[in-house]
Amino acid sequence: MEVARKIGTKIRLYSELVMFSHTLFSLPFAIISMIWAAEGFPSWRVMLWGLIALIGARNGANAFNRVVDRVFDAQNPRTAHRHLPRKLLESKEVLVFVAVNYAIFIFAAGMLNTLCLILSPVAIFLISSYSYTKRFTYLSHLYLGFTIASAPIGAWFAVTGQFAFTPFILGTIVMLWIAGFDIIYGSQDIEFDRNHGLWSIPSAFGLKNGLRIAAGLHTIMVLLLMALIPIRHLSWLYITGIILAILLLMTEHKMIKPSNRKIMNVASYNLNQVISMMILFFTLGDYFLLK
């Protein structure tokens, strides 16, 4: 019983460490990409190994980011409660967790096709290097979005083993969306970033200008979502989902209050999880019900 309890505790700690619930940011767009690439449901084999690859990559990247940022996290009152600053987990064991997840990712990529296997080291380099970007560029938000954009692009490769135009549109949508709400989230740390030599759009341009940039990125994101209508021959159900997503994005930008951590978590995370799932359901509904 004691061993089982310890294992359960470790699983919980690692799940919290990598914020497993945040898979909802990338997974819905990966599913959309897979469905479109396969012109229907892909085989169970592709779905299974694609999901394993996605989970392995994001878990490894998130855990690696926690190790790289552990010193700054310990100094920032907003993040001092995280697992490494509190010594709930040790850096060495987290790095083992990272290595295991990256190994799972590479194996799963190899089980999909040759292109995915060849690109897997490139993907690991990109998702790992994000952790250092805040030290030298305020474009770190866009780089984060760029790394997460690999989910729908990789999902397309998993199904077809070929390059195409549509997944890169989906990837750009994800990049702009993630970058926008990461700027919103980063507005909580303006003074900390300035005092510790960290780069972000809010710290570089100020709160108001930073939020304007975030709104601009989300506007372009919406335009690209609309651009998919003629490309993918989408209809009213998809458009309805996009309109609802726009309303939620507007709500997100209206409720921003950097001094209130709870509100910022809702604006940056909870609402965006709803947005991604809404886009998924309405897109799949449009594809399967109105095709």
Side-chain angles (χ1 to χ4, degrees), residues 239-289:
I239 296 172
T240 300
I242 300 308
I243 291 172
L244 293 174
I246 292 171
L247 293 175
L248 286 176
L249 281 171
M250 292 173 64
T251 301
E252 174 183 330
H253 283 269
K254 286 284 186 183
M255 66 188 298
I256 296 169
K257 191 176 181 182
S259 61
N260 189 315
R261 189 181 304 172
K262 186 175 182 180
I263 288 178
M264 293 303 290
N265 282 335
V266 172
S268 300
Y269 293 142
N270 301 108
L271 279 180
N272 285 295
Q273 289 172 338
V274 175
I275 287 170
S276 62
M277 294 304 296
M278 182 178 296
I279 291 174
L280 172 65
F281 289 137
F282 278 87
T283 301
L284 295 190
D286 190 284
Y287 184 86
F288 288 109
L289 300 178

Side-chain angles (χ1 to χ4, degrees), residues 126-144:
L126 292 175
I127 61 181
S128 300
S129 58
Y130 156 72
S131 302
Y132 298 97
T133 55
K134 252 191 126 174
R135 286 141 172 89
F136 62 88
T137 177
Y138 56 75
L139 297 179
S140 56
H141 313 280
L142 282 165
Y143 195 86
L144 173 63

Side-chain angles (χ1 to χ4, degrees), residues 87-214:
K87 305 295 184 183
L88 297 176
L89 293 168
E90 296 296 329
S91 296
K92 289 182 180 179
E93 62 178 313
V94 174
L95 287 174
V96 172
F97 177 80
V98 171
V100 169
N101 275 276
Y102 281 165
I104 290 172
F105 166 62
I106 293 172
F107 181 79
M111 294 299 294
L112 288 165
N113 54 57
T114 303
L115 178 62
C116 289
L117 178 60
I118 291 172
L119 292 177
S120 60
V122 178
I124 288 174
F125 171 77
L126 292 175
I127 61 181
S128 300
S129 58
Y130 156 72
S131 302
Y132 298 97
T133 55
K134 252 191 126 174
R135 286 141 172 89
F136 62 88
T137 177
Y138 56 75
L139 297 179
S140 56
H141 313 280
L142 282 165
Y143 195 86
L144 173 63
F146 172 70
T147 62
I148 298 177
S150 62
I153 296 171
W156 189 282
F157 292 165
V159 174
T160 67
Q162 298 175 345
F163 288 87
F165 184 57
T166 296
F168 286 95
I169 297 179
L170 280 172
T172 304
I173 289 168
V174 170
M175 180 183 74
L176 296 171
W177 172 51
I178 296 291
F181 75 72
D182 191 58
I183 291 171
I184 292 172
Y185 190 70
S187 65
Q188 299 175 92
D189 294 329
I190 291 177
E191 293 306 319
F192 181 85
D193 289 348
R194 288 173 176 170
N195 294 334
H196 290 78
L198 296 175
W199 293 62
S200 71
I201 284 177
S203 66
F205 299 101
L207 177 61
K208 288 185 179 180
N209 288 331
L211 295 180
R212 289 191 186 107
I213 292 171

Side-chain angles (χ1 to χ4, degrees), residues 46-59:
V46 170
M47 290 286 285
L48 174 64
W49 288 114
L51 180 62
I52 291 173
L54 174 65
I55 293 174
R58 74 162 305 280
N59 284 354

